[in-house]
Amino acid sequence: MAYDPENIFAKILRGEIPCDKIYEDDTALAFRDINPQAPVHLLVIPKGSYESLDDFSDNASDAEIAGFFRAVGTVAREAGAVEAGYRFLANNGPDAHQEVPHFHVHVFAGRDLGGMIKRAP
Ligand code: 5GP
């Protein structure tokens, strides 16, 4: 599937839609999720046009990948989430209910986040 440049995170990257930005560097942008599922719910996205973790891990340069994951760690540290703990999660594709087709990771913190995944029915 080709990358859709009209997805909402591409529009945020281009400055066409506002976001509550908390971090930015050469490779990544981080902002608050519009519909938070925890007291701290942040999204970290690469600046490059990758639709999913699959696309990113297959096609991004080593510098983009290293820069992105360093940014995730920095964002969690700057949010004060390291000591109590946090979760990072990436939804990839339909079974994971990925809604926005620009690779992103969620960073959740600020409460006991419970078990890792709900059991399938
Ligand atoms: P996904 O299911 O794709 O992993 O998660 C997409 C996330 O993007 C959701 O948690 C949703 O609340 C968030 N989101 C969708 N549209 C916007 C937006 O316009 N701004 C922000 N900040 N978050 C958004």
Side-chain angles (χ1 to χ4, degrees):
M1 202 170 89
Y3 179 81
D4 173 11
E6 296 309 313
N7 78 74
I8 201 92
F9 293 169
K11 291 180 178 177
I12 285 174
L13 279 170
R14 292 195 297 268
E16 295 168 11
I17 289 178
C19 71
D20 187 358
K21 180 167 82 175
I22 53 161
Y23 178 83
E24 182 171 16
D25 64 20
D26 289 348
T27 56
L29 175 71
F31 49 90
R32 295 187 193 285
D33 196 290
I34 204 167
N35 183 24
Q37 306 297 311
V40 176
H41 183 174
L42 312 174
L43 297 169
V44 190
I45 69 173
K47 288 191 168 175
S49 299
Y50 302 101
E51 68 174 4
S52 63
L53 174 58
D54 181 63
D55 185 16
F56 186 67
S57 61
D58 198 28
N59 296 308
S61 69
D62 289 354
E64 287 177 294
I65 291 171
F68 178 76
F69 282 100
R70 283 199 188 280
V72 175
T74 299
V75 163
R77 276 193 297 280
E78 290 187 355
V82 173
E83 191 175 341
Y86 65 93
R87 175 171 295 149
F88 98 69
L89 176 150
N91 293 315
N92 189 99
D95 275 0
H97 294 239
Q98 180 181 356
E99 291 171 13
V100 179
H102 180 109
F103 172 50
H104 51 282
V105 303
H106 299 253
V107 175
F108 301 102
R111 65 167 166 82
D112 183 331
L113 296 164
M116 187 173 74
I117 193 167
K118 204 165 91 178
R119 284 179 193 273

